Amino acid sequence: MARKKEIASPVSAEDQSRLQSLLAQVPDLAKQLRSSQSQQEAEAALAPITSAPMNVQLAFMRELAQGSPGPAIREQSPESQALQTLSSAGGPRWSAQDAADLLLALYQYSPEKECRKEARRSLIRLEGARIYPQWQPPREQPAAFQSRPPRFWKGLVSETRERGEVQLFLCWEEGYNYDEARLIALGLDFWQQGVRDCIVERASKRRIEARLSELMSRQEEVRFSECTLTEGRRLLEEALTVSRWRGQELPESYRYHLPLIRQLVLEAPEAEAGQDRGLTFIQPALDPEELVLTFIGAWSLGDFGLAYDLLTPQSPLREGLSREEWVERRRAWANEAHPARLTVSFVTESEQPQSGLWLPGSTLSSRGPRKLVEIGWSLELSETPLSGTLPEMAMGTAVNKETGRHWFWTSYTLLRQDEAWRIHSMSDEGARAQGLPIPELQQRIKEHDDRVREISMQQREALLKSISLLDRPDPQVLLEEITRRLTQALHYEDALMVRLPLDQQIVENAYNHAAALRNGERGMVYLERLAQRFPGRRADALRELAMTEDSLATLFEQQGLKERSRRFDELAEQHMQESLALRPTALGYALLAQMKLQHTAAPLPPPEALQEAEQLLAQARALNPNRAEETIIEAALGTIASARGNQPQALQHYERAAALSPDYPGIWLALSHTQRALGRKAEARESLRRALRYNPADLQAYSELVDLAVEERQFGEAHAVLEEGLKQLPQSAHLRALLAMVLAEQGDLRQAQRFLEEAEQIDQRLPSVQAAREILNERRKQR
């Protein structure tokens, strides 16, 4: 990007002479700078440079960087090239360290903003060659002639601590009449990085005020609170402990300004720092559910300081510890437990019955507003004895040994304090269920199942009677209730399994509940139990376990967990082979063949995998498969033929599979691909329409229908397909991007821009969205 402002003046012999003179003085200037004991002495050492014309100063700094060993420097202006003659005269006559120290001093003390910016750029060039300044700005010592030292002016903090981050702005008044100011802006991340970024600026107070307004305006819908220097320092020090704990390197900009930050913030005299009022800078309007979600999220992500601040001062969960002690214990736990990948299945709030109980050790009465919030959640953890030392650590009623995921059910009592909700106590509902009598556990499971069936029946009746959407219960609310009830039923079933370990039906029911929630990871727990404890169920349980693991492998692949995905591929094949060894079935052989084809595709399965899958399918066919099993066999044979390049044979297999089971997932898409490869586009289009008949929300089918239409320049048809798709998938950024492309091809750039902006709001990183932006920009250039 071009510079906004060029400093240029006539290149005269006098300028060249002055530049040469300055360059010859570099070693002496650097020596004088290093011996300086105050800012005034450092500025005096720099006076020969800072008193030179602007273009001479800029050329001098560029030459300091260019004359040192390092990467190539960007193209210079003609004026700078004329001034910079030293390199052609035999190379630099100073050390790289001299150059780095002088550039740092100029960045710190130059009165000209353009010179400070150029010094910064030159330092970056040196850093590319691993050359760093060693000189540090001297810390000012009180002296009789320094009657106007910097004084803290004001501080601002974003009320976003509940997000695990804050923006911190600290300002000082400077100058003889205190008409200048210095701003230190820090981005603090308490989840991972610690200190994320750092900006230091010095200008007039008016300019710093404008800069503050600009920085705050970037934080949409965020409130800022005033803070004292002590409070700002406390936040910074906490962020620094996060950086050290996480092993994160501090950002370059922070390291660069560290001497100044030490002087003004970390080592500022207590008398000048102001009072710490104990403010947490948490957004005060969090409702009870949000607050509990924030507590569990912060705790699982390692932001234990935030978790502590969300507790009441009298909370037994604080254990009477100071904030630092509480945080340190939990970091020690996290170092061993490695908590990761929190998921929440439900959270629900209810009014807490009022009580006249007095809370020990405080004058706080529980007669005030109270709330009870229940939450079902899970977290991946490694087993560690330290888990038993944390009062907020619940008992996992189910554990997936492969992923380490534990499932919890907890409730929290919240009190209203200082116009904000805070957690006072916690109850481990999962552990409490373990102590309930067997009949009560069975009764509670039945109540949940009955209510789920009632909701399902009501929904079906509403559809059959065509009841208006306005008169139906909110489907989202009903879905949340079903999820909560099924999750709680699972915890009760976990308790029943402990009391009745040989009751197979309890495990079967738990697996069915997990399957209804589409929770494959938890379903694995119950399938493994069936396979291990009930020999008559082992073969079928292992086959279902293999299918579940295969689905999870795909999910982990999408999440970027490559190693885990490969591990689950291996487990799926292993368990399917174990199942077949116990009881050979057509379904088992067919599914194992499918796994062989899917797990080795890169992008096509190798010949040996195709041959092995073909043999497995032959074994499946020899066992008299039923219609569903025959469908799987034909579809897999089609995949093998297609991989070998025999598209006519692949077409025959896919057509047989579609005839056997028209609703078989993916069969019409596979058929359309083959028909298109054979040039039968009309049939391919019809297959895609059939795919949408069985799955109206099939994003890939819409995309390929549009592709076919655009290929034949039928933009009207493409437009109609996309409008139909958006009715089924109203939040699809991909379909909006495709519609923007089609509209651009039709010449309607205004409408194209509207749909593209909507797509970018949903997911601007999507490749199709980025491609649509490029096409739209290109069409605008052509006008």
Side-chain angles (χ1 to χ4, degrees), residues 285-339:
L286 290 177
D287 66 35
E289 288 185 8
E290 290 173 327
L291 186 124
V292 169
L293 285 169
T294 300
F295 174 80
I296 291 190
W299 186 85
S300 65
L301 289 165
D303 189 357
F304 301 115
L306 173 58
Y308 183 90
D309 291 339
L310 292 172
L311 300 173
T312 64
Q314 301 81 13
S315 171
L317 297 177
R318 285 193 174 185
E319 304 176 274
L321 299 175
S322 69
R323 191 176 190 270
E324 293 72 20
E325 292 170 330
W326 200 86
V327 168
E328 196 57 39
R329 285 192 185 182
R330 279 137 190 87
R331 285 182 179 174
W333 165 79
N335 289 338
E336 296 184 10
H338 309 293

Side-chain angles (χ1 to χ4, degrees), residues 442-728:
Q442 293 170 332
Q443 179 60 30
R444 294 193 182 192
I445 294 169
K446 182 179 182 302
E447 288 172 0
H448 285 314
D449 284 343
D450 289 347
R451 175 57 181 157
V452 169
R453 279 193 292 270
E454 181 185 349
I455 292 172
S456 300
M457 290 178 61
Q458 288 174 349
Q459 289 294 91
R460 282 196 294 270
E461 288 176 6
L463 289 171
L464 290 172
K465 295 178 180 178
S466 301
I467 296 175
S468 168
L469 289 173
L470 295 175
D471 296 328
R472 297 182 201 169
D474 186 342
Q476 183 61 34
V477 172
L478 294 178
L479 177 60
E480 289 173 0
E481 183 181 353
I482 290 173
T483 301
R484 174 178 63 81
R485 289 184 176 278
L486 290 176
T487 303
Q488 291 176 348
L490 278 169
H491 286 284
Y492 290 134
E493 283 158 342
D494 291 337
L496 274 180
M497 286 179 217
V498 176
R499 311 288 288 280
L500 301 171
L502 299 181
D503 191 326
Q504 180 179 331
Q505 190 58 51
I506 296 171
V507 189
E508 297 275 8
N509 292 343
Y511 170 66
N512 291 335
H513 283 146
L517 288 167
R518 298 185 180 179
N519 192 334
E521 230 176 316
R522 192 161 186 175
M524 279 180 62
V525 176
Y526 307 118
L527 288 170
E528 287 173 346
R529 191 180 184 97
L530 284 170
Q532 291 167 4
R533 299 202 174 190
F534 306 100
R537 185 74 165 82
R538 181 171 175 78
D540 291 342
L542 285 171
R543 184 178 64 248
E544 293 171 38
L545 178 60
M547 294 166 62
T548 301
E549 289 164 338
D550 188 57
S551 298
L552 287 170
T554 302
L555 176 63
F556 293 139
E557 176 77 21
Q558 294 169 350
Q559 293 173 347
L561 302 174
K562 307 284 186 187
E563 278 299 318
R564 183 174 289 185
S565 176
R566 283 192 287 270
R567 168 65 178 159
F568 272 69
D569 281 341
E570 294 170 1
L571 287 172
E573 290 192 30
Q574 174 189 324
H575 288 138
M576 189 64 77
Q577 287 167 344
E578 288 182 30
S579 173
L580 288 168
L582 290 168
R583 189 169 77 242
T585 63
L587 178 60
Y589 282 119
L591 291 173
L592 183 57
Q594 271 193 338
M595 290 176 188
K596 295 286 186 184
L597 295 173
Q598 294 169 358
H599 298 172
T600 57
L604 293 174
E608 57 271 19
L610 296 176
Q611 185 175 1
E612 187 177 359
E614 202 168 32
Q615 292 170 353
L616 290 167
L617 292 171
Q619 290 176 277
R621 183 156 276 165
L623 292 172
N624 298 318
N626 59 30
R627 177 185 289 267
E629 293 162 348
E630 186 68 33
T631 303
I632 298 173
I633 294 169
E634 289 293 344
L637 288 170
T639 301
I640 293 171
S642 180
R644 288 173 172 164
N646 190 339
Q647 300 304 331
Q649 188 180 40
L651 184 63
Q652 292 176 8
H653 288 300
Y654 287 143
E655 286 176 338
R656 285 182 202 146
L660 286 165
S661 303
D663 58 348
Y664 184 68
I667 189 60
W668 293 106
L669 280 173
L671 197 53
S672 72
H673 293 163
T674 308
Q675 290 163 336
R676 194 169 176 181
L678 292 170
R680 297 156 70 165
K681 294 184 180 179
E683 294 177 21
R685 185 180 285 105
E686 180 56 30
S687 292
L688 290 170
R689 290 288 184 189
R690 294 286 293 274
L692 290 172
R693 193 177 308 164
Y694 290 104
N695 181 10
D698 192 330
L699 181 63
Q700 188 175 352
Y702 287 115
S703 300
E704 295 189 16
L705 270 173
V706 170
D707 190 46
L708 276 170
V710 169
E711 192 175 290
E712 297 175 356
R713 310 295 293 175
Q714 296 179 4
F715 297 115
E717 180 184 339
H719 194 154
V721 168
L722 288 166
E723 286 185 336
E724 180 184 342
L726 284 170
K727 290 178 183 176
Q728 298 294 332

Side-chain angles (χ1 to χ4, degrees), residues 138-151:
R139 182 173 178 182
E140 295 299 310
Q141 299 296 326
F145 56 87
Q146 290 181 328
S147 59
R148 300 286 185 176
R151 67 184 183 191

Side-chain angles (χ1 to χ4, degrees), residues 312 359 364 369-370 413-417 420-424:
T312 64
L359 301 178
L364 180 66
R370 306 174 75 198
T413 299
L414 280 65
L415 303 179
R416 190 82 170 167
Q417 293 188 342
W421 290 104
R422 291 294 179 263
I423 294 171
H424 180 70

